[in-house]
Structure formats: C-alpha cells, structure tokens
C-alpha cells in the first residue's frame, strides 16, 4: 500500500503564476479531501469529493482556487493566479468505505505539498 | 464554523513523564479521532472513538470519548523522544457533512531526553 501520494513535495512560485498540486488517493478509497494547513488557522478543509463528485467546496477561499477529480485515482488543486497569502502546506487525504479506525471517518493523509508564493 | 478547543497549545516535558491533552466543544460529536503529525509529514491516525464513554488504548496511548460527547482526552504514558510532534483531535458531528472532520488547532509536544 503506497499510501496517499502528493506531488510536488515543495513548490516555490512567483506571485501571479498558476500552481497545480496533485494527489493520488489510496486505491479503492471513495472519498478524497483537500486541506490547507497554516500556523494561524490550523487544518482547514477546502473541498472534498465522494465517488469523484465534489460534495462540499465551501472551504475554497476564492475563485482563484479550483479542484478536479477526473477519475478515482487522481485529483488536482489549482491556484490561478497565486498570491503570497496562499503560502501553506496543502494536504490531500482519502478515506475508504466501511467502519474502522482507518476507514470510516479515519482519513489517510498524504505527506503534503509545501507551497511558497513569493 | 464549529470549533474544537484543544489544550494545551504546547507542552515541554522530560522523557519518562506522562502527558495529557484534551479537546472540548460546545456541541456534541459522534466520533472523536486523535492524529499525530511528525515534522514534514501528514497527520497519522492514532486512535478512533465511536461511543460516548469509550476508552481505547494503542500501546502507551489511551484516549477517551467523554460521556457528554463534547470532549475527549489523550494520554501518553512514559513519554519517549519519538513522541515529539503535533497531536490533533478531530471530530464528526451528528448530521454533519458525511466524512467532514473538524480539527482542533493541535498540541505541540516537545520531549527532553
């Protein structure tokens, strides 16, 4: 089990540039979540998908943020144009069906993408 | 939105000491989870609690789901240097958006050898 795979691990970009973060969930998991982590606000849910369909995007801060899940094994989070205040660690997490500490309500997180916008 | 109040924010302890941290809310939750985040990594699930009053252990870790359903605590016994990290509580509210966990701000644990 390779876990949730995120790329890149680190991204440094200039203000105004487009940034695309990628996530490969655990095979067989049917829910995928994008979180943003900052010192000030902690972990914030941006959007989540169930069976590839966006269910709740109320956490997406602005229209500059968009997320897609074209299939069960891939999702992207795009920021266009990026701004310095977008600097944060972005986590992707997935969750499978069924009950148990690593399935129902128990997400598996990726290692995150540390984004720095200068 | 709903907040989970996690305390303390940070702890500095000596190796071998026991640790206790907790999470409280003004609303009830039907699931409590505890995660640990190592530097440069994502949070990893430690313990999940599904019933009020439930007490669950995972090695030196013990967590309890409060009877009122508005709180949970995590204890670590005989701390070791690798316990260093940030511990998060997370909860799922009744009727909440399915799978949408609410996270506390974390407790940063430092252990002196």
């Amino acid at each position: 089990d390779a876990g949730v795979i995120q790329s890149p691990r680190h991204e440094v970009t200039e203000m105004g540039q487009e940034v695309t973060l990628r996530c490969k969930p655990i095979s067989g998991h049917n829910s995928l979540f994008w979180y943003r982590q900052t010192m000030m606000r902690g972990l914030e849910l941006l959007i989540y998908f169930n069976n590839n369909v966006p269910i709740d995007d109320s956490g997406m801060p602005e229209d500059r943020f968009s997320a897609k899940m074209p299939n069960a094994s891939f999702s992207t989070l795009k920021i266009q144009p990026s701004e310095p205040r977008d600097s944060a660690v972005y986590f992707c997490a997935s969750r499978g069906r069924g009950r148990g500490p690593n399935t129902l309500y128990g997400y598996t997180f990726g290692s995150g993408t540390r984004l720095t916008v200068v | 939105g709903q907040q989970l109040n996690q305390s303390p924010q940070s702890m500095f302890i000596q190796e071998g000491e026991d640790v206790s941290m907790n999470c409280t809310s003004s609303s009830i939750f039907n699931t409590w989870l505890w995660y640990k985040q190592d530097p440069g990594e994502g949070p990893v699930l430690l313990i999940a609690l599904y019933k009020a009053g439930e007490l669950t252990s995972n090695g030196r870790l013990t967590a309890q789901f409060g009877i009122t359903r508005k709180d949970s605590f995590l204890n670590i016994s005989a701390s070791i240097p690798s316990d260093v990290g940030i511990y998060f509580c997370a909860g799922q509210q009744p009727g909440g958006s399915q799978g949408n966990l609410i996270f506390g701000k974390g407790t940063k644990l430092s252990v002196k050898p």
Side-chain angles (χ1 to χ4, degrees):
Chain A
D1 183 353
V4 175
I5 299 172
Q6 289 187 248
S7 64
R9 285 299 306 269
H10 303 273
E11 176 82 31
V12 180
T13 191
E14 290 187 343
M15 183 172 69
Q17 296 296 307
E18 177 180 295
V19 174
T20 299
L21 311 181
R22 297 173 176 80
C23 176
K24 178 175 166 37
I26 290 175
S27 177
H29 280 192
N30 65 326
S31 297
L32 183 142
F33 306 80
W34 282 100
Y35 278 86
R36 178 171 66 178
Q37 186 178 37
T38 60
M39 290 290 291
M40 290 296 294
R41 301 173 69 91
L43 275 164
E44 300 175 279
L45 178 67
L46 300 177
I47 185 171
Y48 85 91
F49 296 83
N50 218 30
N51 296 318
N52 312 340
V53 176
I55 302 299
D56 183 356
D57 65 354
S58 58
M60 296 285 261
E62 307 169 27
D63 290 346
R64 297 184 296 107
F65 285 69
S66 62
K68 292 182 180 177
M69 192 164 185
N71 56 62
S73 58
F74 184 65
S75 177
T76 59
L77 178 68
K78 188 176 291 188
I79 308 173
Q80 165 64 17
S82 57
E83 296 181 4
R85 60 195 167 116
D86 301 331
S87 298
V89 181
Y90 291 81
F91 287 105
C92 175
S94 70
R95 189 198 76 198
R97 297 178 178 85
R99 190 179 176 88
N102 287 315
T103 54
L104 187 64
Y105 305 138
Y107 306 171
T108 300
F109 282 83
S111 296
T113 295
R114 181 174 291 278
L115 174 66
T116 303
V117 183
V118 297
Chain B
Q2 178 58 252
Q3 295 286 328
L4 286 183
N5 301 308
Q6 190 171 347
S7 66
Q9 267 190 318
S10 60
M11 302 181 75
F12 296 85
I13 62 167
Q14 201 76 32
E15 182 178 359
E17 289 183 357
D18 296 342
V19 173
S20 186
M21 59 190 80
N22 67 77
C23 247
T24 60
S25 171
S26 57
S27 302
I28 61 174
F29 283 77
N30 58 12
T31 301
W32 285 96
L33 304 168
W34 285 93
Y35 284 83
K36 183 194 176 197
Q37 184 177 23
D38 289 327
E41 297 296 329
V44 173
L45 184 65
L46 298 174
I47 291 179
L49 303 158
Y50 298 104
K51 291 192 308 189
E54 182 179 351
L55 184 72
T56 297
S57 293
N58 178 5
R60 294 179 295 106
L61 277 60
T62 302
Q64 184 157 31
F65 191 144
I67 290 290
T68 65
R69 297 172 65 189
K70 293 182 180 181
D71 61 348
S72 177
F73 72 74
L74 175 71
N75 286 345
I76 305 172
S77 62
S79 58
I80 59 178
S82 62
D83 291 333
V84 163
I86 303 176
Y87 292 79
F88 292 96
C89 63
Q92 166 78 27
Q93 289 185 285
S97 184
Q98 187 181 10
N100 184 359
L101 290 179
I102 298 168
F103 281 84
K105 291 273 172 69
T107 294
K108 186 174 182 179
L109 178 64
S110 301
V111 179
K112 266 200 317 188

